[in-house]
Amino acid sequence: MNDEFVAWDDVGVVDHSNSEDGYGFISTSEVADDVFFHVSDVAGRFPTEDDLLQYDIHETDRGYEAVNIEHKKRAESSTEPFASTRTRWGGN
């Protein structure tokens, strides 16, 4: 049985989540397959699709699993139309 960490502080996007059953999958470039997560390893609210998460990847005999999961805020970019540097409606 393989049971070791393959990445720390990886960042990925939730590709699928099932809040009813308490699990989901994260898409990442760190490993070839999607990474499984369980609600018991998530700090805070249950992740939904397209949420950005930071986590450690643990390899088990069933595949890759995310542990120590935290929500991560997306960085705003000045090239985005709703970035904080955009002129506000009614502003000068």
Side-chain angles (χ1 to χ4, degrees), residues 16 30-31 36 40 42 73 80 83:
H16 172 77
E30 188 67 34
V31 293
F36 172 85
S40 63
V42 179
K73 291 186 178 195
E80 293 176 355

Side-chain angles (χ1 to χ4, degrees), residues 54-82:
Q54 183 171 348
Y55 48 88
D56 301 329
I57 300 175
H58 191 248
E59 187 175 9
T60 71
D61 59 339
R62 294 176 289 163
Y64 298 108
E65 184 174 346
V67 294
N68 305 321
I69 305 167
E70 296 180 1
H71 290 267
K72 186 164 177 69
K73 291 186 178 195
R74 294 181 189 270
E76 288 187 357
S77 168
S78 61
T79 61
E80 293 176 355
F82 297 105

